[in-house]
Amino acid sequence: MAILPQTIYINPSKSSPSTRRTQSNPISSSLETERGVEFETGGSFFRRESSIGRDLGVLSAVLHGRALGSSVSVLDAMCGCGVRSLRYLKQAQAGFVWANDADEQHRKTILSNLSRAENGREIEEKKRWVVSHADANRVLAESYLHRRFFDLIDIDSFGSNSGFMRAAVAAVKVGGLLYLTSTDGYTSGGHRPQQSLASYGAYIRPMPYSNELGLRMLIGGALREASALGFHLKPLFSYYSYHGPVFRVMLRLLRGKLHNPCDYRFIGYCNKCGHSQAFSWEKIGNISCPCRPGEINRSIVVSGPLWTGPLHDGNYLGEMLELASEFGWTDLEGLLTRMMQESDPRLPFGYIKLDEIACRGKIDTPPLGLLIARLQKEGYAASRSHIKSAVLKTDCPISTCIEIAKKLQCS
């Protein structure tokens, strides 16, 4: 990668989404500390609750650097106050970080924060970071045109802004990482199907596991853009936080087409019986439900196409868990452990709410731990979900779950 000047001055468009967002949400400057790293927020948009997402990004950057045997290069395309860039420099020991934010008003704050990367001393002679102010798509496109590829591209976007996805795929190294974001829970809930279609190429309808659909919608949209360029993406982890809400996915870019086309399908949910199933493109015209086999069932709602494969790579999460322990970030152990449980390849998409089991079975809400243990004893895959507390992920049909829950109540 070519050495760049310490600060790049690129004036943003007055109509840039990032500029509008910041100007309409003025926030007073304050001094914050996150995982021992001190920084200023300036007037930028900052959410303390998003720290876990930043933790997971740092862990991934460290693991990627260790796998490469060298320091990583990072593009923080929508850096805000620069806290992510600072943490990549200090905690992941990134060799180079490009911090970009469309709003030039944040420049002073970003520069001040990044100068803390070496105990408060600017490191101009090492050229470990640069700052720019431009639309993220412009930075990504120019990086590709100048053949400057990054090991990790972190895009903490707002809403369902997905226009940068193809440019991000083009600007990341093969084998590198894309850390993508959506904060549009209204769209993932099926309330704006035309918006989800425009942004992610998926028509989303209301379903009980809408927050998981948000992650699958984001992965599917990125996968579609990567496929157009001759690549495919492997999810390393998917993280949902109700603060926002925030949907974050870490994806590895690989050459070639998607190995298993069955991981990109339509999802159907039956409001009558609660059964969920996936449909390939070939079967989309012959959708039915076990509660009415072979018949047209108007109670079935269909969303898609979406990513229907695993949300996480279990082995990768295991490495993250070990690294979190090494860093002393023990508060992440519960989350990472639960995500590892979710990574069981036998588990399908979606989850079943315990209240739905109780309602359909006309029983009291079953204890989740006991229900999981009984399902596993019966040979089914079953786990909790990091997305929601009182839900069950399992390959057991909901009708069988209800029968098992009834037996638990009688025992």
Side-chain angles (χ1 to χ4, degrees), residues 134-185:
D135 178 79
N137 256 325
R138 177 177 174 180
V139 173
L140 291 163
E142 290 184 353
S143 295
Y144 169 74
L145 290 173
H146 289 92
R147 314 301 289 173
R148 291 192 296 261
F149 301 106
F150 293 86
D151 295 304
L152 190 158
I153 295 179
D154 187 329
I155 307 181
D156 188 20
S157 57
F158 181 70
S160 54
N161 180 13
S162 62
F164 51 79
M165 281 187 175
R166 189 170 298 192
V169 170
V172 73
K173 293 180 181 179
V174 175
L177 307 180
L178 285 175
Y179 198 18
L180 305 179
T181 313
S182 169
T183 62
D184 192 351

Side-chain angles (χ1 to χ4, degrees), residues 285-332:
N286 299 299
I287 293 177
S288 64
C289 181
C291 69
R292 295 179 65 179
E295 299 181 26
I296 295 176
N297 190 341
R298 299 187 183 279
S299 64
I300 296 179
V301 292
V302 179
S303 294
L306 296 160
W307 173 258
T308 55
L311 289 176
H312 319 287
D313 181 315
N315 292 331
Y316 188 82
L317 285 171
E319 294 178 21
M320 291 183 72
L321 182 59
E322 290 181 7
L323 184 57
S325 179
E326 178 184 325
F327 281 10
W329 298 355
T330 56
D331 54 308
L332 292 180

Side-chain angles (χ1 to χ4, degrees), residues 274-290:
H275 180 70
S276 294
Q277 54 189 317
F279 303 94
S280 65
W281 292 83
E282 294 81 5
K283 299 291 181 63
I284 195 68
N286 299 299
I287 293 177
S288 64
C289 181

Side-chain angles (χ1 to χ4, degrees), residues 1-2 64-65 68-75 94-96 140 143-144 146-154 165-179 226 229-234 236 250-256:
M1 180 182 298
H64 195 59
L68 293 174
S70 63
S71 58
V72 297
S73 57
V74 178
L75 171 58
F96 178 80
L140 291 163
S143 295
Y144 169 74
H146 289 92
R147 314 301 289 173
R148 291 192 296 261
F149 301 106
F150 293 86
D151 295 304
L152 190 158
I153 295 179
D154 187 329
M165 281 187 175
R166 189 170 298 192
V169 170
V172 73
K173 293 180 181 179
V174 175
L177 307 180
L178 285 175
Y179 198 18
L229 296 178
F231 299 99
H232 71 277
L233 297 166
K234 178 181 180 180
L236 299 179
M250 184 68 77
L251 309 167
R252 189 184 301 282
L253 182 75
L254 301 170
R255 293 189 187 276

Side-chain angles (χ1 to χ4, degrees), residues 6 55 63 107 132 145 189 204 234 237 259 269 304 321 391:
Q6 183 71 20
D55 291 342
L63 289 177
R107 180 171 60 86
S132 64
L145 290 173
I204 305 298
K234 178 181 180 180
F237 68 79
H259 294 312
Y269 173 78
L321 182 59
V391 301

